[in-house]
Amino acid sequence: MDSDFGTVPGAQDMRAYVTRFVAQLTERNRLPLDYSVSSLRIVDFLVDGLRRGGPERAQVEGVLRGLGGYVGEVMVRRAGGRWVDFDAGQREFFEQPVGVRMPDGRAWNPLGKVVNRFEAGGPEESVQRLYLQLHGRSAGRAGGACRSARTVSC
């Protein structure tokens, strides 16, 4: 993967960042990353595979951020969220520069959720489960609390 995926852009550039990441990731692999809710299960499997490989987080940081961006983009496209830049306090708390704000006003940290899945594993850190538990999804769209290294409700 391109090392440039280790740097997350601002909220206004996240869609382009994720699109580029998905294109590069799927260029040689036949992964059905189609921004559907069911594709989040693939993200869980990919992160679990990275964990089994035994690398340090720093070695796969760019891939984790790209996958976290993908999860956020699914939240944006399927649940009515929008990318937001975190303020200084949120950046410190979530350890990420951007997140997704849902129509009910709650901020979510999909990039941090993917890191949690990598570091802790287990079904409680599933990104697909996160989506299915989202509060504040737009009416008519299929879909917890904010997640980072900590679990909070915003």
Side-chain angles (χ1 to χ4, degrees), residues 67-143:
L67 290 171
Y70 177 80
V71 171
E73 190 61 23
V74 171
M75 293 167 74
V76 168
R77 292 181 186 200
R78 301 289 178 210
R82 64 181 169 84
W83 286 106
V84 294
D85 293 308
F86 286 147
D87 64 29
Q90 291 169 320
R91 284 176 185 248
E92 182 179 341
F93 182 77
F94 289 125
E95 300 176 356
Q96 300 296 334
V98 296
V100 174
R101 185 160 312 279
M102 296 306 295
D104 70 352
R106 294 181 193 204
W108 294 72
N109 182 14
L111 283 78
K113 183 64 171 181
V114 169
V115 169
N116 288 351
R117 178 76 181 201
F118 178 78
E119 291 180 343
E124 64 280 354
E125 296 300 339
S126 166
V127 297
Q128 184 180 35
R129 180 181 282 179
L130 168 73
Y131 181 90
L132 295 174
Q133 294 174 346
L134 282 178
H135 299 282
R137 290 187 303 259
S138 290
R141 294 189 181 185

Side-chain angles (χ1 to χ4, degrees), residues 44-62:
D44 283 333
F45 288 138
L46 289 171
V47 175
D48 290 346
L50 288 172
R51 287 182 77 231
R52 280 190 289 276
E56 296 293 319
R57 176 177 159 186
Q59 294 174 293
V60 293
E61 189 76 35

